[in-house]
Amino acid sequence: MTVKEFAKACGFGEDYWYKRQNFTRPLNLSDLERISEVTGVSIGDIVMDSKRHAVEAAERKARSGGYGLAAYNTAGKQEAINGEAGPDYDEPA
């Protein structure tokens, strides 16, 4: 089923569906009911699969180093963290 066919089967206009598909507008309960009827997937499964997908995406991004504190990503800061700069003191003997 194409996106156009899916939108039509659910009773959504193309613009309406594309805004929800691209996360610029949220799905409401009525949307979920229509999607459930067309796909045969329960509303609960749609929501839980969506949540699982979001969690997996966040975990992938975290593992790839995609998350970090902005302060540590500024120019010169990582060198300071790695010991290129730091407190000026003598090491104990």
Side-chain angles (χ1 to χ4, degrees):
M1 179 180 291
T2 67
V3 173
K4 287 182 180 183
E5 291 169 341
F6 173 76
K8 185 176 181 180
C10 290
F12 303 141
E14 286 182 49
D15 184 59
Y16 183 91
W17 177 244
Y18 282 117
K19 287 179 181 175
R20 274 112 190 119
Q21 178 185 346
N22 294 324
F23 303 110
T24 56
R25 296 279 193 273
L27 290 169
N28 59 41
L29 186 55
S30 176
D31 296 336
L32 290 171
E33 288 172 343
R34 292 177 184 189
I35 292 167
S36 178
E37 289 173 10
V38 169
T39 62
V41 177
S42 74
I43 293 173
D45 286 344
I46 293 169
V47 172
M48 292 307 295
D49 189 51
S50 178
K51 182 177 179 181
R52 179 186 54 79
H53 176 73
V55 168
E56 289 173 354
E59 288 172 347
R60 278 193 305 276
K61 188 169 183 179
R63 282 192 300 272
S64 71
Y67 288 126
L69 296 174
Y72 294 119
N73 295 329
T74 59
K77 187 63 176 182
Q78 194 60 51
E79 290 80 12
I81 293 168
N82 291 335
E84 299 294 324
D88 188 17
Y89 63 91
D90 292 327
E91 291 290 326

